[in-house]
Amino acid sequence: MNVLVKYFNKRNGTIEAMNDYGPMQTILNNTDRLIKEAYENLEDVGSPKVTGLPGAHNPKAGEARLVSGLDDITILRDRYAQAKAYMEWFQPAWDSLNEDEQYVLRTFYLDSASKCDAVEYICDHFHVERTTAYNKKNKALTRLSILLFGK
């Protein structure tokens, strides 16, 4: 699947792409560990649960557990491939922004502060009025949008 399909509208897609950066980075950082744990769970011997209720015998339970584990590993690998494609698409555009543009976009869209607080932080950082802060945000967003999607 092409990364661009998810972000159809350029402006909103740029904002969504920035919001997806954190989760994609987490996927890239944790997938190896999760796959290793999934393989270790495949090797473990299942044990019965002691609930006091009579259990039903399922001769295919081991196979079902193995298939379920392999499905989980496939899903993890697919998510990793999507995250890697996203980063190959997004990271060069983000790195092309200058430090001020990255600060404005990070403050306005990625930090947990409210929009009003973000504008105040930008105003304080650059020593500008609110309208100038909004103009800086719009200019940086437009530039990132062009870097990601073209004109």
Side-chain angles (χ1 to χ4, degrees), residues 115-132:
K115 300 296 184 214
C116 294
D117 291 340
V119 173
E120 293 301 321
Y121 292 146
I122 293 169
C123 290
D124 291 343
H125 182 79
F126 293 108
H127 306 291
V128 295
E129 296 293 324
R130 292 176 68 85
T131 56
T132 306

Side-chain angles (χ1 to χ4, degrees), residues 33-95:
R33 179 183 52 80
L34 294 173
I35 288 175
K36 183 180 176 187
E37 289 174 5
Y39 273 120
E40 288 172 359
N41 288 339
L42 288 178
E43 298 169 359
D44 291 343
V45 176
S47 61
K49 296 179 182 174
V50 181
T51 61
L53 299 173
H57 178 66
N58 182 2
K60 305 260 184 196
E63 292 174 15
R65 190 171 54 87
L66 182 65
V67 169
S68 175
L70 292 174
D71 287 343
D72 292 344
I73 292 170
T74 302
I75 290 169
L76 289 170
R77 286 186 176 154
D78 289 344
R79 284 179 40 198
Y80 182 82
Q82 289 174 355
K84 189 171 180 168
Y86 165 86
M87 286 305 230
E88 289 171 355
W89 168 71
F90 184 80
Q91 194 65 49
W94 182 259
D95 291 341

Side-chain angles (χ1 to χ4, degrees), residues 14-15 18-19 90 93-94 97-111 115 118 122 126 136-145:
T14 303
I15 295 168
M18 283 188 292
N19 289 332
F90 184 80
W94 182 259
L97 297 175
N98 64 39
E99 194 174 302
D100 291 342
E101 291 169 330
Q102 287 181 0
Y103 174 80
V104 168
L105 292 176
R106 192 179 310 109
T107 302
F108 204 86
Y109 293 108
L110 301 180
D111 291 347
K115 300 296 184 214
I122 293 169
F126 293 108
K136 282 184 171 292
K137 184 259 313 177
N138 289 334
K139 186 176 178 183
L141 187 61
T142 300
R143 182 150 185 262
L144 180 60
S145 181

